[in-house]
Amino acid sequence: MNSSEEEEPPPAWRAPSRGEHRWLAVTVVVSTLVLQLLLPNELVLRPGWLLPAVSGLLVVALMLINPGRVDQRTRLDRGVALSLVAAVSVTNGASAVQLVEGIVSASITDRPASILVSAAIVYWTNIVVFSLWYWEFDRGGPGQRATGTAEYPDFMFPQMSSPEFAPRGWKPTYADYLYLSFTNATAFSPTDVMPLRRWAKVTMMLQSSVSLILALLVVAWAINAIHS
């Protein structure tokens, strides 16, 4: 190869760019926290206001630290963001466990409408939680993705393998990770986005397992309720 030849430019997803706004992610999180307040007392950690309040404070702190684009990776910014994801994960994990326990023990099966609404909220929150984990850890998070310093992707999006079908300079944003999480939760397997790293495969497997357990339990309960 002639040394005078220019090196091939990196793909668009590796090139430095302006960071994405975090408004969509924050809006989805806040909306999901509001839905958590609709869960019955039996399915929330006591006191019921504690974790939603902590999550709300973390959202406010995150917006105060960086209200604009996520174009850099600071320790404080990332620490608050991961704390928020962890808080929402704990909240929904506790609700999921108590929902499963309530259905198995038949302690809440006398309220069919409450079960269906609660299951839908827990299921949706599970989608949001894993979308945030994917968004925060794929190639180091949104800030590091904007710098283009991560050499290898953790997820292979179709636009990355077939750039001719995407706008020039395309990069995944939170909406893409929310779609990834939704399809993985409903199909119980990867669809068009492939996990490449082990952590991504294990995390997707965990999400599919949680979604499958919730779906099977609710369906089994519904069938039993119909026949009884």
Side-chain angles (χ1 to χ4, degrees), residues 2 8 11 23 43 64 73 133 136 138 153 158 182 197 206:
N2 194 328
E8 184 178 351
W23 283 107
L43 300 184
L64 290 176
R73 183 188 184 188
W133 285 121
E136 287 290 351
D138 182 25
F182 181 83
R197 296 291 184 93
L206 176 61

Side-chain angles (χ1 to χ4, degrees), residues 10-19 70-72 139 141-152 171:
W13 56 267
R14 276 196 58 196
S17 64
R18 297 186 67 189
V70 190
D71 54 4
Q72 56 183 344
R139 293 168 49 224
Q144 190 162 334
R145 286 195 296 273
T147 65
T149 54
E151 184 176 1
Y152 300 108
K171 286 190 174 185

Side-chain angles (χ1 to χ4, degrees), residues 109 112 219-228:
T109 52
V219 169
W221 167 83
I223 293 174
N224 181 67
I226 291 174
H227 288 288
S228 60

Side-chain angles (χ1 to χ4, degrees), residues 6 10 15 26 36 59 85 88 98 106 155 165 209 213 221:
E6 294 184 0
V26 169
Q36 289 284 315
V59 168
V85 180
V88 179
Q98 293 180 69
F155 293 99
F165 298 119
S209 300
I213 290 173
W221 167 83

